[in-house]
Amino acid sequence: MNAPVPLLETRNISIRFGGVEALKRVSLRLYPGEVLALAGDNGAGKSTLIKVISGVYRPSEGELLFNGAPLQMRDPQDARAAGIETIYQDLALADNLDVGSNIFLGREPTRRQFGLPVVDRVKMALVAREVLDRLDIVIPERKLTGPVKMLSGGQRQAIAIGRAIYWNARVLIMDEPTAALGVPEQRKVMELIATLKAQGVAVLLISHNLHDIFAVADRIAVLRRGEMAGERVVRDTSGDEIVHLMVGDTYADTRDQSSI
Ligand SMILES: Nc1ncnc2c1ncn2[C@@H]1O[C@H](COP(=O)(O)OP(=O)(O)O)[C@@H](O)[C@H]1O
Ligand SMILES: [Mg+2]
């Protein structure tokens, strides 16, 4: 049997900001239908790595491959065109618009009325309903047509995920998706990630929350000071081992002191 081709691969990616080497020869592989968690302490380089993958930063060295082919990106539009969608912590929703408008933001469908193009609101509402159904998200009809600022944090996160899916994300990158949510909503977002995985989407999940990571990820890649400190399969590792990879030997030191 042939080895499966990673949907996304970074090979020896390095990036420097002035004198700071924020990433040092970082290599990782993400397979279809896989959830890969990216863990690491503050400043480890997680956000920088996803900005390289989503076309925001150009690496100083190294290669990106999509489905086995080199991927040259000039900007985030190139990443999106390839099927790489990124959800940043602020979600980038337009608070005063409804769900459908947020799914199409800047890419609205039009129809002709008296020979002139007008925004096709019927289509937008239909797509909003379809996208939410596909992800098993329940939002009452009257809330679908109101401004998204009236929705809960979990529902808003779901809309950002729905938007990425509607635009055919094959790789979905999520930066701390549950950081601002209450416990039931965190659980819902974890369920959404499992749904996407079952649909063959590859998810790169950045999280500080080891509980979330162990609940939903298949593998964990740990960055430490810009370097890949290690990769583990979730069922073969423990929270202790991951924390140790994140902080190195300083963890053992603090543990010793706290037990004195
Ligand atoms: N635009 C930038 N200019 C200069 N230094 C940066 C920039 N972005 C990130 N860094 C540095 O790169 C390192 C990694 O940062 P970051 O990727 O934000 O870490 P994380 O997301 O894991 O907390 C840090 O030392 C940070 O100060
Ligand atoms: Mg960050």
Side-chain angles (χ1 to χ4, degrees), residues 51-83:
K51 284 179 183 162
V52 169
I53 296 172
S54 56
V56 177
Y57 294 151
R58 227 183 283 195
S60 315
E61 276 143 52
E63 268 193 294
L64 276 168
L65 293 98
F66 190 83
N67 229 351
L71 181 64
Q72 304 286 351
M73 289 191 289
R74 286 155 302 175
D75 55 35
Q77 266 84 331
D78 284 346
R80 274 190 219 121

Side-chain angles (χ1 to χ4, degrees), residues 46-48 175 206:
K46 305 181 296 296
S47 296
T48 304
D175 198 351
I206 295 181

Side-chain angles (χ1 to χ4, degrees), residues 179-199:
L181 303 180
V183 173
E185 300 210 301
Q186 288 177 11
R187 199 164 298 154
K188 182 71 203 177
V189 170
M190 289 300 115
E191 280 171 29
L192 278 179
I193 293 174
T195 304
L196 295 174
K197 172 183 158 68
Q199 294 177 4

Side-chain angles (χ1 to χ4, degrees), residues 50-165:
I50 64 164
K51 284 179 183 162
V52 169
I53 296 172
S54 56
V56 177
Y57 294 151
R58 227 183 283 195
S60 315
E61 276 143 52
E63 268 193 294
L64 276 168
L65 293 98
F66 190 83
N67 229 351
L71 181 64
Q72 304 286 351
M73 289 191 289
R74 286 155 302 175
D75 55 35
Q77 266 84 331
D78 284 346
R80 274 190 219 121
I84 303 170
E85 293 271 348
T86 306
I87 302 177
Y88 292 102
Q89 254 174 300
D90 66 7
L91 301 181
L93 296 180
D95 280 338
N96 292 316
L97 301 182
D98 63 19
V99 176
S101 305
N102 268 286
I103 287 171
F104 285 95
L105 221 53
R107 306 183 254 199
E108 288 80 2
T110 55
R111 63 184 172 84
R112 295 212 153 249
Q113 192 174 32
F114 308 120
L116 295 170
V118 292
V119 172
D120 191 344
R121 301 209 168 273
V122 174
K123 173 163 186 192
M124 284 162 57
L126 277 174
V127 166
R129 176 51 70 203
E130 269 169 35
V131 165
L132 296 178
D133 284 351
R134 180 173 161 197
L135 295 173
D136 264 328
I137 303 159
V138 182
I139 297 181
E141 204 64 43
R142 70 192 153 76
K143 287 206 168 174
L144 268 187
T145 51
V148 297
K149 70 177 170 213
M150 306 304 284
L151 300 176
S152 71
Q155 288 170 329
R156 291 161 54 82
Q157 180 70 245
I159 292 163
I161 296 172
R163 174 169 60 196
I165 295 313

